[in-house]
């Protein structure tokens, strides 16, 4: 799948012990429901992406903050089992992160996260990893960790000419310095609405979204000067990708349809998409192909319960690509 020399990725990780309850439907305020199934596993957006990239064949370094507790012991054991080094994993005062998810019968979820030690990482922790960041071929960040660490790592990557990929989730408006060093944004429909100032309404279906997004691209591109790609994941609708060669160049757009599946549990599907997308980027594939690889990995996780057991490996992706894969369709904007 990838070259004999594994491509290098650096992930601004995070760790939570994720507890998930499967319910028939989401409860109303004040209501108690009996769950049909429960599972707990190590998780977190950055950890999932780091493991996903490693399984798909990348050489991965990850910066993670964890606590002084048994959950952190479990994290270190997991990293060893997955072949991920722990030289940028820091055990910090207090508790590790915890997550709580409610998964409905339709596979959709609602999640609350206590980030704990993830928030204790600093810019200094990122600077201590400067060598690994500068030697990487892609740096991935998200917002379930210290914003200061993400900002510092992206600045280092930008200085070394390393492409950066940001999933600004949970959503908050990024500081100007971070926007100035972000090459690619990956957002879901709700995050895209906030990013594009759509009055809080989620981006509509792919068939309706293109012109809505395109109308706001000039303003977005000005606020994010280094931005070359915007990727919007739309669940069962697939993914929308927009790209420009340089700041003054026009945007081009593609839509990639998602594989048809019966969604069982969408927790972690976005992280799996990011892993597949970044794997394609590391392999030198163009944006339309990266969207398709992301869709395959995201659908694979959404069709199963749990995340760690569902994140695919390189052999699975190779086999999936040998079958019929819907390509991305160019769009007019």
């Amino acid at each position: 799948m990838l070259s004999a020399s594994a491509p290098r990725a650096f992930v601004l990780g995070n760790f939570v012990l994720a507890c998930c309850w499967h319910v028939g439907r989401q409860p109303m305020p004040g209501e108690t429901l009996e769950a049909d199934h429960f599972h707990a596993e190590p998780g977190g957006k950055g950890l999932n992406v780091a493991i996903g990239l490693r399984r798909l064949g990348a050489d991965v370094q990850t910066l993670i903050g964890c606590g002084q507790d048994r959950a952190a012991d479990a994290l270190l054991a997991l990293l060893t089992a997955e072949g991920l080094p722990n030289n940028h994993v820091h055990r910090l005062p207090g508790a590790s992160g915890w997550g709580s998810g409610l998964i409905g019968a339709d596979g959709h979820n609602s999640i609350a996260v206590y980030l704990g030690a993830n928030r204790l990482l600093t810019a200094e922790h990122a600077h201590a990893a400067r060598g690994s960041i500068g030697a990487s071929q892609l740096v991935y960040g998200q917002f379930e960790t210290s914003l200061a660490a993400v900002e510092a790592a992206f600045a280092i990557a930008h200085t070394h000419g390393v492409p950066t990929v940001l999933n600004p989730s949970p959503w908050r408006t990024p500081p100007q310095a971070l926007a100035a060093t972000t090459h690619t944004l990956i957002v879901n429909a709700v995050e895209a609405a906030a990013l594009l100032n759509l009055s809080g309404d989620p981006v509509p279906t792919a068939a309706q979204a293109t012109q809505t997004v395109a109308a706001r691209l000039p303003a977005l591109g000005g606020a994010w000067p280094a931005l070359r790609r915007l990727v919007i994941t739309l669940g069962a609708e697939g993914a929308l990708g927009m790209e420009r060669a340089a700041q003054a160049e026009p945007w081009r757009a593609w839509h990639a349809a998602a594989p048809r599946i019966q969604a069982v549990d969408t927790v972690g599907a976005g992280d799996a998409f990011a892993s597949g997308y970044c794997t394609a980027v590391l392999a030198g594939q163009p944006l339309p192909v990266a969207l398709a690889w992301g869709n395959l990995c995201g659908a694979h996780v959404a069709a199963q319960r749990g995340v760690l057991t569902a994140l695919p490996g390189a052999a699975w992706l190779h086999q999936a690509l040998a079958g019929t894969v819907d390509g991305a369709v160019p769009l007019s904007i």
Side-chain angles (χ1 to χ4, degrees):
M1 179 69 60
L2 300 173
S3 63
S5 176
R8 297 181 300 275
F10 190 92
V11 175
L12 276 299
N14 71 299
F15 164 63
V16 300
L17 190 60
C19 303
C20 295
W21 290 260
H22 293 256
V23 292
R25 58 174 174 80
Q26 297 291 334
M28 296 182 293
E31 182 182 20
T32 300
L33 293 179
E34 181 178 352
D36 304 316
H37 176 77
F38 169 81
H39 71 270
E41 62 181 357
K45 298 187 72 63
L47 178 63
N48 292 340
V49 172
I51 291 175
L53 279 167
R54 181 71 188 108
R55 289 184 183 177
L56 291 171
D59 177 1
V60 183
Q61 297 271 342
T62 182
L63 175 62
I64 296 180
C66 57
Q68 304 286 339
D69 51 19
R70 291 183 178 179
D73 296 337
L75 168 66
L76 294 173
L78 173 65
L79 294 176
T80 299
E82 294 289 344
L84 287 163
N86 61 15
N87 51 313
H88 300 305
V89 176
H90 300 273
R91 301 194 72 158
L92 302 167
S96 297
W98 290 77
S100 170
L102 294 178
I103 299 100
D106 59 0
H108 293 132
N109 63 78
S110 57
I111 298 173
V113 177
Y114 170 70
L115 296 176
N118 293 289
R119 287 289 192 217
L120 300 181
L121 288 175
T122 66
E124 285 69 32
H125 291 115
H127 285 295
R130 176 182 294 274
S132 296
I133 295 170
S136 65
Q137 294 162 269
L138 180 147
V139 172
Y140 176 89
Q142 40 72 45
F143 283 175
E144 283 187 1
T145 189
S146 156
L147 189 59
V150 177
E151 185 175 333
F154 272 41
I156 294 167
H158 191 65
T159 299
H160 286 81
V162 179
T164 55
V165 179
L166 178 65
N167 174 212
S169 178
W171 170 260
R172 70 180 104 166
T173 302
Q176 186 176 2
L178 183 56
T181 57
T182 297
H183 173 269
T184 298
L185 278 171
I186 300 179
V187 293
N188 64 20
V190 175
E191 293 151 3
L195 174 71
L196 299 168
N197 297 316
L198 298 180
S199 303
D201 297 325
V203 170
T205 63
Q208 302 168 308
T210 308
Q211 296 305 321
T212 301
V213 175
R216 289 162 170 79
L217 281 175
L220 179 69
W224 299 72
L227 190 68
R228 297 296 176 263
R229 288 182 174 181
L230 171 64
V231 176
I232 303 175
T233 59
L234 299 169
E237 289 282 331
L240 195 63
M242 304 205 175
E243 180 178 55
R244 61 179 178 175
Q247 186 174 8
E249 294 293 320
W251 291 86
R252 297 179 297 164
W254 291 266
H255 172 249
R260 294 184 179 180
I261 61 162
Q262 178 62 50
V264 173
D265 179 355
T266 58
V267 173
D271 302 332
F273 176 95
S275 299
Y277 171 89
C278 290
T279 297
V281 172
L282 289 167
Q285 297 291 345
L287 177 57
V289 175
L291 296 175
W293 288 25
N295 281 340
L296 282 171
C297 293
H300 183 70
V301 167
Q304 305 177 61
R305 282 182 173 172
V307 180
L308 284 184
T309 55
L311 284 170
W316 176 89
L317 182 57
H318 181 77
Q319 183 177 10
L321 292 171
T324 301
V325 179
D326 291 333
V329 178
L331 304 171
S332 298
I333 59 174

